[in-house]
Amino acid sequence: MTTNRINDIQIDDSGLAAPTPAIEQERKVAIFDLLEDNSFELAGRDGQAVPDGPYHLGLSIREKRLVVDAKTEDGAQAAEFHLSLGPFRQVVKDYFAICESYFDAVKKLPPSQIEAIDMARRGIHNEGARVLQERLEGKANVDIDTARRLFTLICVLHWG
C-alpha cells in the first residue's frame, strides 16, 4: 500500500445551506471514487521532512478561503493550506451552469446533443482540476483523477 494517498476525507460544511439531493449524490460519488483510487503527496518545504501518509484530509471554507488540512494516520498535523477561492470562482460557476444544462438535456434532448453537453461538462471539470493542481503547486502533488474528484468536493463546498 502506498503512503502517497488519502485514506480518509472529511468535508466541513457547517454553516452552509443543506445540499440538494443531486449535489449530495455528487459528493458521495466523489468521496467514494477518491478513497478508492488517489494520489496525494505532500511537497517538502524549506528542507523539512514530509510526514508519512496515508493522510486524513479535511476540506472546509474559512474566511472565503479553501482550507486543506492534512493529518497523518495517527492524527498528527502534516500540513494545512489556505487557498484563495478567487481562481476557482468562474470555473465553479461554469461547471454548475453546464451541469444544470446537462440535467435538463437528459430529460428532453436526443442522445447526440446530450453527449455534446457532457463533453463540455467534462472539459470544464478538467479545467477545474488543472486550476486545483496549479494552486497546490509546491504544497502537494495530485494526479489529474485525484484533482478532478477534489474539484467536485470544492464545488460542493463552494456552492453550499
Side-chain angles (χ1 to χ4, degrees), residues 5-27:
R5 67 181 322 277
I6 300 164
N7 71 349
D8 182 60
I9 189 155
Q10 298 297 315
I11 311 298
D12 180 1
D13 57 3
S14 59
L16 299 177
T20 66
I23 290 175
E24 184 59 28
Q25 180 62 23
E26 286 286 317
R27 172 181 167 160

Side-chain angles (χ1 to χ4, degrees), residues 2 7 17 21-22 39 42 57 77 86 92 97 101 110 115 118 120 123 127 140:
T2 180
N7 71 349
S39 174
L42 292 174
L57 207 66
Q77 187 70 44
V92 168
S101 296
E115 187 175 320
D118 191 46
E127 177 60 24

Side-chain angles (χ1 to χ4, degrees), residues 10 33 52 62 66-67 72 85 112 120 129 137:
Q10 298 297 315
D33 289 347
D52 289 333
R62 283 190 245 146
L66 173 66
V67 178
T72 62
L85 288 171
S112 61
E137 193 170 315

Side-chain angles (χ1 to χ4, degrees), residues 16 19 23 26-27 96 151-160:
L16 299 177
I23 290 175
E26 286 286 317
R27 172 181 167 160
F96 273 102
F151 176 72
T152 299
L153 296 175
I154 290 167
C155 287
V156 170
L157 275 171
H158 198 278
W159 196 256

